[in-house]
């Protein structure tokens, strides 16, 4: 059975983008993979987090994942800082990673923006930590949204260079799993910008905790153009906002953009947005309710994370110990 690893930052309430690009697929993949899912708090602090917020958000993210159907008994769910193997392997990978590779990472450019000199060093080396997250488990499949494709490619470059430098075939090749018609959900205010949980505008995203009225309002206000939905894919060219809403609808109706256009082509956006709202409320309300149920019992969330971390460490510790031995570290553990 293939081993999967994927992570999500507890940097806010998960969005519809996180759900369609990652969380929903994580749940589905449990049927035929060995899955390790991680709330990546080490990644979250690459951008400032108030300590009390980080703790709360770590529990909230875990509750959302459980509500999306992650099974913490059959698989593993934990928070990254609780398993030291991630940071140990990351340090080795910082030494393997070339600066030129990091300079090409578009997510760093997006997140650093014009304030490049002032962002943390950790934000810059984030992709090397992500490589360590995956490779500490010898995972071979990584379900992510489209925005993470470049980081998975970099993880393969790091694995290959490590293997080459130390003359071994130790780290495996990783395949990104980028699934569905909404692998890159865009902001509701700007169809050229990714929907993100840390976007300053709450109107730019649907949060998994939003109630029916909030979802309806955000979709009603979502930016569109004055034209009706086109009849074919060609008619979507140069219309990023239309493409985005249609992609979201497609993801929830198990079809693709063309399938939605077959049924809704020619419709005005007023009507289409109403149908989209009904769909979103129907699919997201049970997740919000289940998340709330978990959050009412924080001790049970902490127990899931503790158990997951202990089981994750059993898998990662020997792999990282072997990487340390290959590098030439004299181990105090013998
Ligand atoms: N807009 C998106 N569409 C599809 N997939 C997305 N993902 C994130 N945004 C979208 C996927 O969600 C998983 C977890 O992402 P993350 O939280 O670890 O980091 P991120 O990509 O930086 O997500 P955000 O929401 O943009 O967080 P902030 O605002 O804190 O930086 C990944 O698989 C990602 O592809």
């Amino acid at each position: 059975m293939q081993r999967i690893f994927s992570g999500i930052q507890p940097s806010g309430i998960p969005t519809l983008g996180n759900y369609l690009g990652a969380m929903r697929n994580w749940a589905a993949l449990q049927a035929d993979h060995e899955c390790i899912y991680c709330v990546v708090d080490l990644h979250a602090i690459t951008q400032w987090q108030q300590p009390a917020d980080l703790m709360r958000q770590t529990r909230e993210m875990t509750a959302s994942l459980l509500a999306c159907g992650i099974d913490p008994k059959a698989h593993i769910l934990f928070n990254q800082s609780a398993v030291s193997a991630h940071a140990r392997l990351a340090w080795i990978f910082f030494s393997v990673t070339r600066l030129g590779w990091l300079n090409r990472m578009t997510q760093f450019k997006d997140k650093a923006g014009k304030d490049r000199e002032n962002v943390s060093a950790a934000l810059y080396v984030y992709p090397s930590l992500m490589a360590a997250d995956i490779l500490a488990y010898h995972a071979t499949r990584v379900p992510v949204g489209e925005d993470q494709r470049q980081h998975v490619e970099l993880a393969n470059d790091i694995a290959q260079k490590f293997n080459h430098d130390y003359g071994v075939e130790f780290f495996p090749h990783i395949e990104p799993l980028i699934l569905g018609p909404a692998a890159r959900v865009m902001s509701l205010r700007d169809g050229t910008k990714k929907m993100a949980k840390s976007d300053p505008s709450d109107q730019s995203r649907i949060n998994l905790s939003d109630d029916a009225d909030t979802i309806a309002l955000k979709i009603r206000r979502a930016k569109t153009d004055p034209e009706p939905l086109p009849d074919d894919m060609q008619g979507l060219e140069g219309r990023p906002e239309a493409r985005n809403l249609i992609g979201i609808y497609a993801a929830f109706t198990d079809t693709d953009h063309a399938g939605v256009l077959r049924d809704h082509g020619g419709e005005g956006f007023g009507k289409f947005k109403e149908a989209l709202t009904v769909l979103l409320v129907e699919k997201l309300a049970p997740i919000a309710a289940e998340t709330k149920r978990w959050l009412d019992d924080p001790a049970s969330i902490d127990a899931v994370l503790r158990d997951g971390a202990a089981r994750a460490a059993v898998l990662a510790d020997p792999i990282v110990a072997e990487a340390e031995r290959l590098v030439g570290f004299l181990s105090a553990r013998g």
Side-chain angles (χ1 to χ4, degrees):
M1 204 184 285
Q2 300 268 12
R3 183 177 284 175
I4 277 183
F5 178 94
S6 200
I8 187 162
Q9 295 187 71
S11 45
I13 306 279
T15 68
L16 184 62
N18 298 130
Y19 180 66
L20 293 178
M23 299 160 86
R24 185 174 80 149
N25 303 327
W26 293 10
L29 288 162
Q30 294 177 117
D32 46 9
H33 294 81
E34 178 193 4
C35 301
I36 303 165
Y37 294 134
C38 188
V39 179
V40 288
D41 45 10
L42 297 180
H43 285 285
I45 63 160
T46 59
Q47 294 186 289
W48 173 248
Q49 309 289 333
Q50 290 290 348
D53 290 348
L54 182 61
M55 270 187 209
R56 180 178 42 75
Q57 288 165 189
T58 300
R59 289 199 180 101
E60 284 171 356
M61 184 57 78
T62 307
S64 289
L65 288 168
L66 292 163
C68 288
I70 302 306
D71 177 347
K73 291 209 166 66
H75 300 274
I76 294 181
L77 177 61
F78 71 106
N79 61 312
Q80 189 183 23
S81 61
V83 177
S84 63
H86 293 250
R88 281 159 52 208
L89 187 58
W91 189 258
I92 293 174
F93 283 177
F94 296 155
S95 309
V96 174
T97 310
R98 305 293 92 183
L99 274 188
W101 302 352
L102 294 174
N103 284 339
R104 286 197 287 275
M105 295 300 109
T106 55
Q107 192 179 77
F108 175 77
K109 290 179 194 157
D110 290 347
K111 289 197 172 178
K114 291 194 177 68
D115 205 19
R116 224 184 138 108
E117 295 295 311
N118 251 329
V119 295
S120 71
L123 186 67
Y124 194 64
V125 292
Y126 175 119
S128 304
L129 173 59
M130 180 168 155
D133 298 335
I134 303 161
L135 290 164
Y137 298 91
H138 277 181
T140 52
R141 297 283 183 277
V142 187
V144 283
E146 180 62 45
D147 61 315
Q148 294 292 336
R149 182 191 292 279
Q150 199 185 29
H151 288 168
V152 177
E153 282 164 8
L154 185 89
N156 276 322
D157 291 340
I158 294 171
Q160 240 181 43
K161 181 162 164 56
F162 181 97
N163 288 347
H164 176 266
D165 288 354
Y166 295 100
V168 287
E169 274 309 314
F170 185 61
F171 287 117
H173 182 81
I174 308 163
E175 287 292 333
L177 297 176
I178 298 171
L179 306 167
R184 187 174 178 83
V185 178
M186 309 310 278
S187 158
L188 299 178
R189 311 301 292 171
D190 176 354
T192 62
K193 215 172 119 193
K194 184 181 91 125
M195 182 180 285
K197 56 179 121 58
S198 59
D199 190 312
S201 163
D202 189 58
Q203 296 297 314
S204 70
R205 60 178 171 264
I206 304 285
N207 304 309
L208 291 194
S209 59
D210 284 346
D211 61 22
D213 289 345
T214 310
I215 293 174
L217 190 69
K218 286 180 177 176
I219 294 296
R220 215 168 33 245
R221 285 189 181 158
K223 186 176 169 198
T224 44
D225 52 51
E227 301 298 318
L229 272 71
D231 293 317
D232 57 27
M233 293 297 288
Q234 236 183 351
L236 281 181
E237 264 163 41
R239 300 177 67 187
E241 285 84 14
R243 174 181 287 274
N244 188 37
L245 295 186
I246 291 163
I248 295 169
Y249 194 95
F252 280 117
T253 48
D254 289 328
T255 177
D256 53 14
H257 288 78
V260 177
L261 294 181
R262 263 195 304 279
D263 293 342
H264 295 270
E267 225 170 64
F269 266 102
K271 187 160 177 232
F272 181 70
K273 282 178 166 183
E274 274 171 31
L276 179 60
T277 299
V278 169
L279 197 58
L280 284 171
V281 170
E282 179 197 316
K283 303 288 182 183
L284 300 185
I287 297 175
E290 184 63 6
T291 303
K292 190 174 170 318
R293 202 185 61 74
W294 275 99
L295 285 172
D296 287 342
D297 184 7
S300 66
I301 297 176
D302 294 359
V304 164
L305 291 176
R306 251 195 323 274
D307 173 63
R311 286 159 53 224
V314 167
L315 298 178
D317 281 343
I319 293 174
V320 174
E322 179 59 10
E324 289 170 335
R325 196 190 63 77
L326 288 167
V327 167
F329 291 165
L330 196 59
S331 171
R333 286 178 289 273

